[in-house]
Amino acid sequence: MQEELRVVGKRVPVKENFDKVQGKADYCATITLPGMLVGKLLHSPHAHARVVSVDTSRAEGLQGVKAVVTKKDDPRKIFTWNVMTYQLPDGEPQDQYIFDDVVRYVGEPVAAVAAVNEEIAKKAVDLIEVEYDVLPAVFSVEDAVKKGAPRVHDTAENNIGAPPTPVFCYGDVEKDFSESDTIVEGVFSTSKQSQAGLENAGCVAEWRNGRLTVWSQAQLPHMTKRMIAQALDIPESTVRVIQPFAGTGFGAGTDLCPEPYACLLTMKAGAPVKVALTRSEDLRMRFTREHIVRVEMKMGVKKDGTPMALKAKYTGDAGAYMGKILSGCGVALASNITEYEFKSMYQEIEAIYTHHLACGAMRGFGGMQSTFAREILVDEVCEKIGMNPIEFRKKYHRGVGGLGWFPDTKISSCGLDACLDVGAERIGWKGKWQGWGAKKEGIRRRGVGVAAMGWLSGAQPMLLEHTNATLKFNSDGTCTLIGSPGLLGQGVLAAHCQIAAEVLGIDYDDVRPLTPQDTDITGFDIGTHASRGCYCIGRAVEKAAQQARELFLERASKKLGVAADALDIKERRIFCKDDPEKGIEFREIAQDTIYSFGKDCRQITVNATIEPTEFAPPWQAGFAEVEVDTETGVVEVIKMIIAHDIGRAINPTVVEGQLEGGQLQGIGFALFEDIIISSENGVNLTDSFNKYKIASMLDCPDHEALLVELGDPTGPFSAKSCGESGIFLQAPAIANAIYDAVGIRLRDVPMTPERVLAALKNKSSTQTN
Amino acid sequence: MSSRILPEFELLPHDIDEAVKMLGLHQGKASIMAGGTDLLVMMGDGFRADYVLSLGNIPDLAYIIEESGKWLRIGAMTTLAEVAESKVVQEKYTALWQSAAQNGSPQTRNMGTVVGNLLRASPSGDCCCAVLALDGWVVLEGPQGRREVAIDDFWLEYRATARRPDEIAVEVKLPDVKGNTTSAFRAMTRTTLDLAKLNAAVRLDMSGKQCENARVAIGAVAPTTIRVRKAEELIRGKEINEETLEEVGKVVSTEVSPIDDVRSTAEYRRTISGVLVKRVIEEACKGV
């Protein structure tokens, strides 16, 4: 085992939080530039229409209006809001224009205005006259593929964005199903959840002296920069993306949203422009959760539970553009491979265009949907063969060396057994689970359920996950950590500083992360997605710190006249391993690098590049105890436990915070969060927080996030990821607990009282018949 | 930068008479603002009032006065939080107390008012439900002076009340309750902080185990909060036991006409309406 760690593993405070809690942190919402204009968008009221004409003359005539942009101002370069398209060699489909001749969802921008204040900008928007040729629209994947259905894109016959495509299949599922003793299957549906960030989508853009600076909530700043340049048809080096703190995230920043409009406006107006969406606009036009509208899954096992075959199909409601629907379905599929050792698997994905808002990404991308289906079916299989659902999971999950998400990837570590043990203990499984078919009485009935999953720490090697981290040292022995994870409140910068300090033998306070982040300063980084921040960027930080450490030791070796490899650094002091009394302060060496009067100045600035190859899955077990009111269908979560295999928690407080926040979003996904789009006209009926409900602290049940730290050989200080993990297991564990309580199998999230009651009614009528 | 909602306040009367005059001048074009928790949300959703008349400068509109043996009077500017803190309301008018204490969030309770809740005339208003069960009266003041409207006659249809455009609602009065009167309120919501998908309130005048008189109110199942008179008849003069409650549960669902919306479905509301009323009656009975 490693020697004792001094900084890693400690609950040190996240540095940026001091500014945040004092209200001193800058967000896109707070940034004000001299002469800044206010931008407002004109949205289509129609789900599908040809834009015949846009008359902006009255708007332009209004005093205080500085620019109006429409499709005439659009350089008409095809692009996509999905900046992650650059992570694949062939990219994801690109099918958007900033302004198109056709609008394809209610809320799609048709024009934008920049004016000296918000009132004038709003008035000007109202003065724009648009002539629409309203066309028929489709609002479900079922209707979209019908013969004669309205086409969302001329190029997509039958609205098929991607036909059913098998991916990463292995073995012979038909043969293995025929040799299975028990087969279960189901069709599941999941809702489109909103990231529901505290800060609505917003950005500031400034075109000045031939350069375009964009203050953005981007999670992936460097690829955002490239996409903006692509859309505007200007050289990439013209664009600079600055990321202040983002009051949102959860995947929202992996797509553009107001940026293209703000950029067109500032380029026309010649003054900086802020476009800050209202909550209603945010809910209507920001890309949100990948909408895998249907999961069909079937699994076969032997009598003793041996997993034989798994077959699945994931159908994505792409909405108006392809956005991230293909990668969302792809992740549903890939993440489903790793959990259990099935002899064979056949899975396919398909995507269908509709006149809905297109899909982005949200925490738990794709895995939410396949995990929900799989973990319920595993429960059903266990009941049929009479096996304890914890035992099945322990016995048949894949382990170290087993198949990863992507072909040729292997599992580097697995702490799932420990997660299942510690979680079962904490929920009191032994006393509470009374076996299959246990009789429960009364109006209110309690039940317990379990679910499990394995996730990833970055999407390598499938996606490009190139990362750079730079450490620049000051004369006082401190350093600036220059990285670009995107500042979405994930707390990962604390972990990065801890990693650097630990390697360098200096204090946490000595490492200062760069904020705001700026693509003119930071090296290339993919940014934050796929739970990669700590693992991938952390490895780059670790490598940079190691390189800096070598340089410091080299320099100290000259000063002390001792070989570098005989030296060590601890508590800001460089000393001889054999003779700890002999040494020099780290600070003194740092000062000498900058104020050296022996013609030996050389500021230490190191950059490290990482292209990770391992995907280092974190594992998790989730346990729910619920009480179901059989008269009203109301499900109360009594207790929710998640036990998470983190490898090592670089900062346990940050890890717990991530997991606990995930619990609330997971409960929301499981029980009530639901974007409702009118099937008549495509209008989002839940475009405010009094209609679209997210959990508040008052909805938080008794819950715990338990950490299992068994290490991972590939991670920085053995760490794996936790960014997305908190959100997955509430829905399947609650569904399984509901079954334990009242004997109904739910197939759809959210599991509202309305659905629970209908299922209870259905069950009692089936029993009576 | 935030979207500006608040209008310029041109109408800031200093007493009720001035307010009534202002309303008379702007016949129907002025919206009245007390706490603003409904009006500002509507304005955020795009509603534009020609004028907003604020009650904020009129003194002495915030009170809870108990006239023993007669009325409990609650002023137009009395906030939900003040009602929720009142011992008298808690002990004697439990349904109203519950509807105020559970209403919205701490922030909206500090601003919103009971009278405002009644004037909004939303079928899902929590205080509407409680005041209907408690047999309240709305006191209105207009050019012709004061008049009082029974809550049973106050809501005309969805979001429409008997208040004339030149009248101000100055208070709500609840008839005094005796020791044998009990009441309860309950709302069903998707999350803790949500508008009711269904709410119900009852007032029971008990004589031992027997119910002498009952008022049963239910919300979010019709264009306005409604009374379920058939349920009242079922329990009037009877002992409240499992059998009567069972019958009440059945009859309620035949008396409601709910709709589908983002909060729930018509079918669910209809099915559960009886359960909720049954439970509220049970809860009120515990208070005897």
Side-chain angles (χ1 to χ4, degrees):
Chain A
M1 197 60 194
Q2 279 166 299
E3 62 180 308
E4 197 198 335
L5 299 171
R6 294 167 34 262
V7 190
V8 161
K10 300 287 185 284
R11 294 177 181 271
V12 292
V14 176
K15 297 181 190 205
E16 65 262 31
N17 289 359
F18 291 99
D19 272 350
K20 286 187 178 180
V21 298
Q22 294 180 88
K24 291 176 178 171
D26 260 328
Y27 297 82
C28 287
T30 64
I31 284 177
T32 302
L33 302 175
M36 189 175 79
L37 304 172
V38 175
K40 280 277 166 200
L41 305 176
L42 173 64
H43 305 275
S44 164
H46 306 293
H48 191 199
R50 186 160 296 282
V51 181
V52 179
S53 67
V54 184
D55 181 355
T56 59
S57 53
R58 287 177 66 208
E60 281 163 333
L62 189 67
Q63 196 172 5
V65 171
K66 300 294 180 185
V68 181
V69 293
T70 65
K71 65 184 174 187
K72 283 185 203 152
D73 303 281
D74 180 357
R76 299 286 294 170
K77 286 285 162 190
I78 205 149
F79 80 121
T80 167
W81 286 9
N82 171 21
V83 305
M84 282 172 58
T85 185
Y86 298 129
Q87 282 178 271
L88 283 163
D90 301 321
E92 282 196 78
Q94 303 197 19
D95 53 8
Q96 291 182 256
Y97 292 104
I98 300 178
F99 294 114
D100 205 350
D101 300 324
V102 173
V103 285
R104 297 183 174 86
Y105 64 93
V106 176
E108 180 155 22
V110 179
V113 170
V116 292
N117 64 39
E118 190 179 4
E119 275 88 351
I120 294 173
K122 274 184 181 169
K123 265 187 206 151
V125 163
D126 291 341
L127 290 174
I128 298 173
E129 285 164 35
V130 184
E131 190 189 333
Y132 294 101
D133 174 13
V134 179
L135 302 167
V138 281
F139 302 117
S140 74
V141 295
E142 290 80 13
D143 288 345
V145 295
K146 279 182 190 156
K147 214 175 163 202
R151 283 245 192 124
V152 181
H153 291 271
D154 294 338
T155 47
E157 207 172 322
N158 298 322
N159 292 314
I160 293 170
T165 309
V167 187
F168 302 158
C169 304
Y170 65 88
D172 182 344
V173 282
E174 294 316 323
K175 178 172 162 284
D176 292 331
F177 273 124
S178 71
E179 290 172 11
S180 298
D181 297 316
T182 298
I183 293 172
V184 292
E185 60 189 312
V187 179
F188 300 81
S189 80
T190 60
S191 65
K192 184 161 170 153
Q193 193 177 19
S194 168
Q195 299 102 350
L198 201 57
E199 184 185 21
N200 294 325
C203 72
V204 178
E206 182 182 32
W207 175 252
R208 194 172 69 183
N209 301 328
R211 281 209 87 193
L212 182 63
T213 306
V214 185
W215 286 259
S216 163
Q217 299 163 333
Q219 294 178 221
L220 316 168
H222 286 270
M223 294 191 293
T224 297
K225 174 182 79 166
R226 182 174 167 193
M227 189 59 81
I228 288 171
Q230 181 187 326
L232 296 170
D233 198 22
I234 54 179
E236 193 183 333
S237 58
T238 311
V239 184
R240 170 185 181 196
V241 170
I242 296 178
Q243 215 228 14
F245 294 108
T248 182
F250 310 120
T254 64
D255 295 291
L256 304 183
C257 186
E259 286 86 354
Y261 310 103
C263 292
L264 282 185
L265 285 171
T266 185
M267 290 170 88
K268 193 161 180 178
V273 177
K274 178 184 287 195
V275 179
L277 302 193
T278 64
R279 179 63 63 188
S280 166
E281 286 177 301
D282 183 279
L283 285 163
R284 283 181 289 140
M285 72 170 267
R286 172 177 254 175
F287 285 6
T288 182
R289 183 178 289 295
E290 65 294 344
H291 199 190
I292 302 169
V293 74
R294 193 169 65 223
V295 178
E296 296 160 62
M297 197 180 284
K298 177 177 169 184
M299 62 174 70
V301 302
K302 286 285 199 192
K303 262 186 234 138
D304 66 352
T306 304
M308 295 295 287
L310 185 144
K311 196 173 174 183
K313 183 179 176 186
Y314 306 93
T315 303
D317 177 348
Y321 301 100
M322 285 304 272
K324 287 200 182 63
I325 195 61
L326 276 184
S327 48
C329 289
V331 169
L333 177 151
S335 65
N336 202 38
I337 294 172
T338 298
E339 185 67 25
Y340 300 109
E341 212 146 332
F342 280 95
K343 222 174 139 190
S344 57
M345 274 198 187
Y346 180 88
Q347 301 189 94
E348 28 179 51
I349 61 175
E350 67 172 345
I352 296 166
Y353 283 118
T354 63
H355 289 103
H356 286 153
L357 172 65
C359 299
M362 187 174 163
R363 187 181 210 175
F365 190 56
M368 296 287 284
Q369 297 87 344
S370 53
T371 302
F372 179 68
R374 182 192 66 234
E375 292 301 305
I376 290 172
L377 290 181
V378 163
D379 218 49
E380 291 183 29
V381 146
C382 288
E383 180 178 21
K384 288 209 164 165
I385 61 172
M387 194 168 183
N388 181 322
I390 296 180
E391 191 192 331
F392 179 96
R393 288 176 170 86
K394 282 175 85 166
K395 203 161 170 186
Y396 297 118
H397 72 75
R398 293 189 201 270
V400 175
L403 187 57
W405 284 29
F406 311 117
D408 304 325
T409 57
K410 286 195 167 48
I411 294 165
S412 51
S413 64
C414 177
L416 183 57
D417 289 341
C419 292
L420 284 160
D421 285 341
V422 62
E425 164 93 37
R426 206 58 147 236
I427 196 100
W429 184 267
K430 267 193 183 151
K432 285 174 180 160
W433 192 68
Q434 295 154 16
W436 294 112
K439 265 262 168 276
K440 313 246 169 155
E441 302 287 343
I443 290 171
R444 291 185 175 83
R445 296 176 202 171
R446 288 200 176 190
V448 285
V450 58
M453 68 110 197
W455 198 234
L456 44 56
S457 305
Q460 59 280 358
M462 189 70 189
L463 301 188
L464 184 78
E465 295 289 12
H466 173 198
T467 277
N468 285 275
T470 303
L471 289 169
K472 187 177 86 173
F473 286 82
N474 305 311
S475 67
D476 60 359
T478 65
C479 64
T480 306
L481 168 58
I482 302 164
S484 191
L487 301 174
L488 43 148
Q490 69 274 55
V492 75
L493 289 178
H496 292 161
C497 293
Q498 285 174 273
I499 289 168
E502 188 71 55
V503 170
L504 286 157
I506 57 178
D507 279 6
Y508 176 65
D509 289 343
D510 299 340
V511 187
R512 197 170 298 112
L514 175 83
T515 61
Q517 293 170 354
D518 180 339
T519 56
D520 268 8
I521 298 169
T522 59
F524 181 85
D525 187 6
I526 290 296
T528 289
H529 82 114
S531 300
R532 72 187 292 276
C534 179
Y535 180 88
C536 296
I537 307 175
R539 282 183 58 187
V541 171
E542 185 184 29
K543 189 174 167 187
Q546 280 161 352
Q547 290 171 8
R549 184 187 160 98
E550 296 304 317
L551 295 174
F552 271 93
L553 289 182
E554 247 173 55
R555 196 138 185 140
S557 127
K558 279 189 213 157
K559 286 259 178 220
L560 296 171
V562 182
D565 59 8
L567 295 171
D568 197 0
I569 319 176
K570 257 185 202 165
E571 293 175 37
R572 300 171 166 162
R573 188 167 172 276
I574 303 172
F575 59 92
C576 297
K577 285 187 232 175
D578 295 338
D579 179 10
E581 292 297 308
K582 186 172 179 184
I584 186 166
E585 292 300 311
F586 190 85
R587 178 180 46 80
E588 281 181 53
I589 301 293
Q591 183 161 343
D592 187 58
T593 62
I594 290 174
Y595 298 104
S596 170
F597 296 95
K599 296 276 176 246
D600 195 18
C601 284
R602 185 196 166 188
Q603 181 172 15
I604 294 182
T605 301
V606 290
N607 180 69
T609 302
I610 283 282
E611 284 183 272
T613 52
E614 306 277 343
F615 81 110
W619 299 77
Q620 194 179 94
F623 293 83
E625 182 179 10
V626 303
E627 184 172 278
V628 183
D629 184 329
T630 55
E631 284 187 340
T632 62
V634 171
V635 175
E636 187 189 348
V637 180
I638 305 294
K639 191 158 196 157
M640 186 74 218
I641 303 276
I642 50 177
H644 184 70
D645 162 29
I646 183 73
R648 182 202 295 274
I650 303 288
N651 188 325
T653 305
V654 170
V655 176
E656 287 160 2
Q658 281 284 20
L659 296 174
E660 288 180 13
Q663 291 256 39
L664 279 185
Q665 282 179 312
I667 285 168
F669 177 77
L671 297 180
F672 43 80
E673 285 191 45
D674 201 5
I675 288 179
I676 301 170
I677 308 287
S678 162
S679 56
E680 278 164 25
N681 56 22
V683 169
N684 183 339
L685 302 173
T686 46
D687 65 341
S688 69
F689 278 162
N690 72 22
K691 296 179 186 125
Y692 181 81
K693 295 309 288 184
I694 58 170
S696 76
M697 286 313 289
L698 299 173
D699 302 301
C700 186
D702 183 7
H703 69 282
E704 279 182 88
L706 309 168
L707 305 186
V708 167
E709 299 184 73
L710 299 173
D712 178 276
T714 66
F717 291 95
S718 317
K720 295 192 281 190
S721 76
C722 67
E724 292 170 274
S725 292
I727 197 173
F728 290 86
L729 298 181
Q730 291 75 20
I734 288 170
N736 291 341
I738 291 172
Y739 181 76
D740 184 44
V742 293
I744 53 166
R745 285 288 178 200
L746 297 171
R747 296 264 188 261
D748 310 295
V749 284
M751 296 174 279
T752 57
E754 286 78 3
R755 280 175 169 156
V756 172
L757 198 69
L760 284 167
K761 222 179 187 176
N762 197 17
K763 185 193 168 214
S764 70
S765 69
T766 330
Q767 277 172 352
T768 336
N769 294 342
Chain B
M1 179 176 65
S2 63
S3 250
R4 205 173 110 169
I5 295 170
L6 269 177
E8 302 286 340
F9 284 105
E10 290 168 2
L11 308 182
L12 282 162
H14 291 85
D15 56 43
I16 301 282
D17 281 350
E18 193 186 356
V20 168
K21 274 186 201 129
M22 285 174 170
L23 288 180
L25 200 64
H26 297 295
Q27 283 295 342
K29 287 184 175 171
S31 295
I32 301 171
M33 182 167 138
T37 55
D38 278 322
L39 186 60
L40 294 185
V41 173
M42 285 164 62
M43 293 172 92
D45 286 344
F47 170 74
R48 290 281 168 268
D50 292 334
Y51 300 97
V52 174
L53 182 146
S54 169
L55 299 183
N57 283 7
I58 303 179
D60 305 328
L61 274 181
Y63 54 82
I64 299 172
I65 298 169
E66 196 189 18
E67 292 175 355
S68 224
K70 288 185 191 163
W71 300 101
L72 179 83
R73 296 168 46 207
I74 298 173
M77 287 299 279
T78 309
T79 64
L80 295 163
E82 285 160 352
V83 171
E85 280 160 21
S86 160
K87 276 272 170 273
V88 175
V89 178
Q90 183 177 1
E91 281 161 19
K92 294 179 68 175
Y93 306 87
T94 315
L96 180 64
W97 179 73
Q98 288 167 323
S99 74
Q102 296 163 25
N103 204 308
S105 64
Q107 292 89 337
T108 57
R109 285 198 290 275
N110 281 336
M111 299 297 290
T113 62
V114 175
V115 172
N117 205 262
L118 304 180
L119 283 156
R120 166 73 162 167
S122 159
S124 64
D126 289 341
C127 294
C128 294
C129 207
V131 169
L132 184 58
L134 291 167
D135 197 13
W137 290 72
V138 180
V139 180
L140 300 160
E141 198 151 318
Q144 272 82 47
R146 254 180 202 234
R147 66 181 183 119
E148 297 180 357
V149 181
I151 196 72
D152 283 313
D153 304 322
F154 188 65
W155 299 303
L156 306 178
E157 53 189 280
Y158 179 67
R159 289 188 184 169
T161 72
R163 182 185 75 86
R164 293 175 194 135
D166 54 2
E167 285 180 320
I168 297 243
V170 291
E171 69 175 27
V172 58
K173 327 201 293 184
L174 304 176
D176 185 43
V177 298
K178 305 197 174 52
N180 59 350
T181 292
T182 177
S183 67
F185 163 85
R186 201 179 268 202
M188 297 189 69
T189 54
R190 291 171 299 173
T191 59
T192 313
L193 302 176
D194 191 12
L195 297 175
K197 64 163 88 163
L198 197 67
N199 54 16
V202 298
R203 194 189 82 175
L204 307 173
D205 302 332
M206 302 296 288
S207 171
K209 284 195 168 175
Q210 188 155 313
C211 174
E212 290 189 328
N213 202 8
R215 285 178 69 95
V216 176
I218 184 160
V221 290
T224 66
T225 304
I226 56 166
R227 274 175 73 186
V228 195
R229 292 180 197 264
K230 281 193 180 169
E232 294 172 1
E233 282 158 26
L234 269 174
I235 46 178
R236 194 171 294 140
K238 288 201 194 131
E239 187 178 315
I240 295 176
N241 54 31
E242 261 182 49
E243 207 176 307
T244 39
L245 285 174
E246 190 72 18
E247 280 182 56
V248 166
K250 275 184 200 153
V251 80
V252 171
S253 63
T254 65
E255 294 294 291
V256 297
S257 50
I259 56 162
D260 288 335
D261 65 15
V262 296
R263 291 184 186 90
S264 189
T265 62
E267 191 194 346
Y268 182 80
R269 288 177 161 123
R270 184 182 296 283
T271 314
I272 295 309
S273 55
V275 177
L276 186 65
V277 167
K278 211 170 71 176
R279 289 186 180 180
V280 176
I281 294 173
E282 283 173 332
E283 192 180 323
C285 285
K286 279 184 214 154
V288 179

